[in-house]
Amino acid sequence: DAGVTQSPTHLIKTRGQQVTLRCSPKSGHDTVSWYQQALGQGPQFIFQYYEEEERQRGNFPDRFSGHQFPNYSSELNVNALLLGDSALYLCASSVVRGPPRGANVLTFGAGSRLTVL
Amino acid sequence: KNQVEQSPQSLIILEGKNCTLQCNYTVSPFSNLRWYKQDTGRGPVSLTIMTFSENTKSNGRYTATLDADTKQSSLHITASQLSDSASYICVVSSASGGSYIPTFGRGTSLIVHP
C-alpha cells in the first residue's frame, strides 16, 4: 500500500518563475493538506483540500494556490517565486470519517525541496 | 494567536539514556495534540495523538503526557537508540466552525550518540 507520494523530490527555480508540485494521497484518504517547512523550522500550514475545494487556508499570500482532482490527488502552485519561498513543501493526507475531523492522523509524504535562486 | 513552543531546541544524549521533550501551547479551542518524528529529509511520522480527555499515551519506548489545564505536553523516550536521532515535532489542532487547523512547533532536534 503506497503512502503519500510527492513529485518532484527536488527542483531549482529562479525568482519570478512559477512552480507546480504534485501529491498523491495514501490509498483510501480523501483530504490533502500542504505545508511549507523552512530549514530548521516546523511546518507551516498552507491550505487543505477536501472534495476538490479549498476548505481551510493558513497565512499565505494568493501566490500560493492549489487544486484537488477527482482522484483526490492535489497540486500546489506558487507564482512569482521569491527567495523566501525556498523550503521543503510537505503534502499530508487524511481521511474524513465524521467529526472530529482533526483527530485523523496525517500521513506525510517525503516532501519536495524547492530552491529559488 | 495560536502558538506551540517546544523545548529544548536541541538535545544530545548517549545511547541507552532516557530523555523528555516539552511542548507548551496556547491553542484555543483545543482539539487534539500529536507528536511527530521527522528524520532528516523525510516527512513527519506520527508517534502519538491525544484528545482533551487523555493524559497519557504510549507507543513502544515513546510515552506522551498531556496536561490540558496547564496546556503542556511532554514526550518521554526510554532507553534511547541511535535511530531515535531526529526532530520531534509537537502539533496542536484547534477546532473552529467544524474545521481543524494544526499549529506546529519548531521541533526539538535529538541526537543520540553511541
Side-chain angles (χ1 to χ4, degrees):
Chain A
D1 175 29
V4 177
T5 57
Q6 293 187 242
S7 63
T9 54
H10 297 83
L11 69 165
I12 299 174
K13 293 285 188 177
T14 57
R15 281 178 296 176
Q17 285 189 311
Q18 178 266 344
V19 67
T20 297
L21 308 179
R22 297 176 176 80
C23 172
S24 292
K26 181 179 179 179
S27 178
H29 285 188
D30 56 11
T31 302
V32 173
S33 50
W34 287 91
Y35 301 83
Q36 180 194 66
Q37 186 175 25
L39 196 63
Q41 304 293 317
Q44 298 292 316
F45 175 73
I46 302 176
F47 42 55
Q48 179 188 75
Y49 276 84
Y50 171 64
E51 291 185 332
E52 302 179 46
E53 290 188 13
E54 183 181 297
R55 299 294 177 169
Q56 289 290 335
R57 188 178 184 93
N59 188 25
F60 279 80
D62 292 343
R63 297 187 297 109
F64 290 77
S65 63
H67 189 77
Q68 185 180 35
F69 300 94
N71 66 354
Y72 308 118
S73 66
S74 176
E75 287 182 352
L76 164 65
N77 300 293
V78 186
N79 295 322
L81 285 168
L82 304 174
L83 296 179
D85 295 331
S86 296
L88 178 68
Y89 288 85
L90 295 165
C91 170
S93 71
S94 58
V95 61
V96 173
R97 289 198 179 110
R101 189 177 301 167
N104 292 319
V105 174
L106 300 171
T107 300
F108 284 86
S112 293
R113 172 72 63 185
L114 171 64
T115 301
V116 182
L117 302 176
Chain B
K1 179 181 179 182
N2 291 336
Q3 288 187 318
V4 175
E5 300 290 338
Q6 290 188 242
S7 62
Q9 183 175 356
S10 62
L11 181 62
I12 301 174
I13 62 174
L14 293 176
E15 185 179 14
K17 297 297 185 181
N18 303 335
C19 65
T20 300
L21 315 180
Q22 300 291 341
C23 172
N24 297 336
Y25 62 91
T26 54
V27 174
S28 181
F30 175 86
S31 174
N32 61 74
L33 184 147
R34 316 172 212 173
W35 283 93
Y36 283 85
K37 177 186 179 186
Q38 185 174 22
D39 293 312
T40 302
R42 306 291 296 274
V45 175
S46 178
L47 294 175
T48 65
I49 178 171
M50 291 181 290
T51 58
F52 184 87
S53 60
E54 298 173 296
N55 56 23
T56 186
K57 185 75 70 79
S58 291
N59 179 3
R61 295 180 297 103
Y62 301 102
T63 299
T65 64
L66 172 64
D67 185 333
D69 292 330
T70 62
K71 298 186 177 181
Q72 296 180 329
S73 175
S74 65
L75 179 68
H76 187 73
I77 304 175
T78 304
S80 61
Q81 301 176 357
L82 298 179
S83 59
D84 292 332
S85 295
S87 178
Y88 291 83
I89 303 173
C90 175
V91 183
V92 183
S93 289
S94 61
S96 177
S99 297
Y100 298 82
I101 298 295
T103 301
F104 286 71
R106 290 187 173 185
T108 292
S109 176
L110 174 65
I111 299 175
V112 180
H113 279 313

